Amino acid sequence: MAPSIQCLSGELISFAPPPPQSSSPSIHSILRRQSSGWVEKRRNPSLHDGMDSTLHQFHDLMEERHDPLPDNGSIIMNGSSRLAEIQGKTLNDWNGCGGDVAEWKIRANPAAVNSRNPIRDVMDSLPPLVTKNEKREISLAQGDPAAFGHLLPPDGAIEALMNAAESCVFNGYAHSAGLLQSRRVIANYHSINSKISADDVYITVGCSQAIQLCIEALACPGSNILLPRPGFPIYEMFSSYYGLQCRHYDLLPDHDWEIDLEQLESLADSNTVAIIICNPGNPCGSVYSYEHLSQIAELARRLMVPIIADEIYAHMVFGTRKFVPMATFSWKVPILVAGGISKRWLVPGWRLGWIIVHDPRGILAQGRVVEALTRLVQMTIGTSTPVQAVVPDLLLQTSSEFYQQTLLTLKLGAELCFERLKEIRGLHVRQHQKGHCS
């Protein structure tokens, strides 16, 4: 029987052995030659041409294997065509293969089936938009700064990532909470009223996972959580998945989308496990003042409810109002901050976020929430280790000019969009009262 390779995608590739009279090298010999020479190539660049020759041999041999195959039962079939073949069969075709499909007792987790990320659900199902004048569609659904190629990461970021990969130092697993040197930099970068350490930082697979883990760590049975309305849809998706009752507090459009604090207080009870605050705001573009954030923190202190602060858009503001970190008020209330490199450094595809525990009085530690976060990150290994290695460069080496130019580009784009939207008949558009947005 011909040897085969089963790919992760479901692709099954079988190879027929070459005829006995063939003098071509075997795949195994080429792979052995490639792997044994790889380290030497890295140490001795003069071996580059020889290694390229070996790779060309491997490529040529693979091309030969894709020629019409002999009648020995070898096939090349990808996962999607196999699935189509299975779906095209009737139940009668499978008689004798293990009983009717209906007799199988396999069932999906109802919580997973009922979970829905409305943004991804829509975006992933949309076919490519084709227009007569071949214009590209403009997605207003996802906050992806890299989508159109005009916003690039800081100078040196790509080189730093390449250096991390080429060093071969970061090919292995990192600590469950993330690389120590990166967590130290994140901690120092975000220390405000009280000094935080690397032990207060957990590196995650993007800010979305940071939010997920914060909710999961607090999701006790029979509890509820307070979410903004309008708000980022994954708050409700994760909360519902973990069995929390979602209670929505309103953001007030006539008050720069500030929180209706009276309503927020009325929604809380002894089973409320957290208040999620998004500032700078998604999707409304609000930037909360110091005074409003202080009021939120004071209310949370009275309610004795911790805050999960989604600050993925931290410092990405323009206008008259400046960003104030929620951790400024951690002496009043314990705060779990979710952040990351996706937005400010324009690399959402690198998938690196963090949780920062701002809890100078040890309230979360007393409630074993810190222990819960530690257990959760130990369940799986986190984001790419080479990307973790780049964090110090991003946070410490990025120039102020980069931030200024990024904000200017976003501001000009927002102003252009605003002016064009005003020209659409039947659509009412207005600025924030104080002219600030993110």
Side-chain angles (χ1 to χ4, degrees):
M1 182 176 180
S4 64
I5 297 175
Q6 179 71 48
C7 300
L8 292 177
S9 63
E11 187 175 16
L12 177 63
I13 304 177
S14 297
F15 300 102
Q21 68 273 18
S22 171
S23 60
S24 62
S26 70
I27 292 174
H28 295 292
S29 66
I30 290 177
L31 288 176
R32 280 198 302 271
R33 202 180 320 159
Q34 178 197 5
S35 60
S36 63
W38 181 249
V39 174
E40 290 303 319
K41 175 188 173 184
R42 298 296 297 278
R43 294 173 180 167
N44 185 359
S46 65
L47 295 177
H48 187 277
D49 293 339
M51 289 300 298
D52 279 352
S53 174
T54 301
L55 292 174
H56 281 305
Q57 281 184 282
F58 178 71
H59 179 268
D60 293 342
L61 188 57
M62 292 295 288
E63 288 294 320
E64 292 177 14
R65 293 299 181 265
H66 283 78
D67 286 341
L69 297 172
D71 293 332
N72 62 355
S74 297
I75 59 169
I76 298 176
M77 179 178 291
N78 61 41
S80 59
S81 62
R82 178 61 177 155
L83 180 61
E85 177 187 334
I86 292 173
Q87 291 176 334
K89 289 181 177 291
T90 66
L91 288 178
N92 289 333
D93 295 324
W94 295 106
N95 283 340
C97 295
D100 290 341
V101 171
E103 294 178 359
W104 288 69
K105 302 303 181 183
I106 301 172
R107 298 292 182 269
N109 177 357
V113 173
N114 293 327
S115 297
R116 180 175 179 266
N117 183 339
I119 296 176
R120 284 289 177 181
D121 199 12
V122 172
M123 293 303 299
D124 291 349
S125 63
L126 286 178
L129 180 64
V130 179
T131 60
K132 293 181 180 180
N133 53 10
E134 297 184 352
K135 286 186 177 180
R136 256 181 99 181
E137 70 272 23
I138 299 176
S139 171
L140 301 179
Q142 296 183 97
D144 185 352
F148 299 101
H150 67 296
L151 292 171
L152 300 176
D155 292 339
I158 302 299
E159 183 180 358
L161 183 60
M162 292 174 62
N163 290 339
E166 290 179 349
S167 72
C168 293
V169 173
F170 304 102
N171 288 343
Y173 296 125
H175 187 281
S176 296
L179 290 176
L180 179 59
Q181 62 267 37
S182 298
R183 288 187 286 127
R184 281 175 176 162
V185 169
I186 294 170
N188 292 335
Y189 193 82
H190 292 89
S191 287
I192 302 175
N193 289 339
S194 59
K195 184 72 173 177
I196 59 175
S197 71
D199 293 336
D200 299 311
V201 177
Y202 300 87
I203 293 179
T204 61
V205 185
C207 185
S208 294
Q209 192 194 35
I211 295 167
Q212 176 184 5
L213 295 180
C214 289
I215 294 173
E216 186 176 5
L218 291 163
C220 297
S223 298
N224 63 77
I225 189 168
L226 307 185
L227 311 177
R229 182 173 54 198
F232 190 31
I234 69 168
Y235 302 153
E236 184 165 359
M237 180 185 71
F238 288 141
S239 299
S240 297
Y241 181 79
Y242 293 116
L244 291 169
Q245 180 193 16
C246 299
R247 298 182 179 180
H248 298 90
Y249 62 85
D250 291 326
L251 307 181
L252 304 173
D254 293 329
H255 294 274
D256 293 334
W257 299 102
E258 289 186 342
I259 296 173
D260 185 337
L261 295 176
E262 290 185 7
Q263 182 195 35
L264 178 65
E265 183 171 11
S266 70
L267 293 172
D269 60 25
S270 59
N271 291 320
T272 302
V273 294
I275 305 169
I276 294 185
I277 306 294
C278 185
N279 179 55
N282 176 15
C284 299
S286 55
V287 183
Y288 293 155
S289 66
Y290 180 97
E291 292 74 19
H292 188 57
L293 290 172
S294 179
Q295 292 172 338
I296 296 169
E298 176 59 26
L299 176 57
R301 184 195 66 79
R302 294 203 315 269
L303 297 173
M304 294 187 176
V305 175
I307 290 175
I308 299 173
D310 179 357
E311 296 184 351
I312 189 60
Y313 288 101
H315 303 287
M316 296 194 73
V317 301
F318 44 84
T320 59
R321 191 167 284 176
K322 303 301 180 184
F323 167 70
V324 178
M326 193 72 225
T328 304
F329 308 96
S330 61
W331 57 274
K332 285 188 175 184
V333 58
I335 297 165
L336 296 174
V337 173
I341 65 175
S342 296
K343 311 302 184 182
R344 197 180 190 199
W345 291 273
L346 310 177
V347 284
W350 291 16
R351 306 310 302 135
L352 187 140
W354 52 68
I355 300 169
I356 307 175
V357 180
H358 292 274
D359 184 26
R361 294 192 287 167
I363 298 171
L364 294 175
Q366 176 182 284
R368 302 185 69 180
V369 176
V370 174
E371 180 183 349
L373 286 171
T374 300
R375 301 300 183 203
L376 289 173
V377 297
Q378 288 174 344
M379 288 185 178
T380 60
I381 302 300
T383 196
S384 163
T385 313
V387 174
Q388 293 187 45
V390 180
V391 168
D393 289 89
L394 288 177
L395 272 59
L396 301 180
Q397 303 301 323
T398 300
S399 67
S400 59
E401 290 78 15
F402 168 81
Y403 298 129
Q404 293 168 4
Q405 185 59 48
T406 300
L407 291 180
L408 177 60
T409 302
L410 293 173
K411 182 175 183 292
L412 293 175
E415 291 172 347
L416 175 61
C417 183
F418 178 73
E419 294 301 322
R420 294 292 180 88
L421 286 173
K422 286 198 302 185
E423 298 174 5
I424 299 176
R425 295 179 60 185
L427 184 64
H428 177 64
V429 184
R430 66 177 181 178
Q431 280 183 308
H432 285 254
Q433 291 179 1
K434 298 179 182 178
H436 59 270
C437 54
S438 62

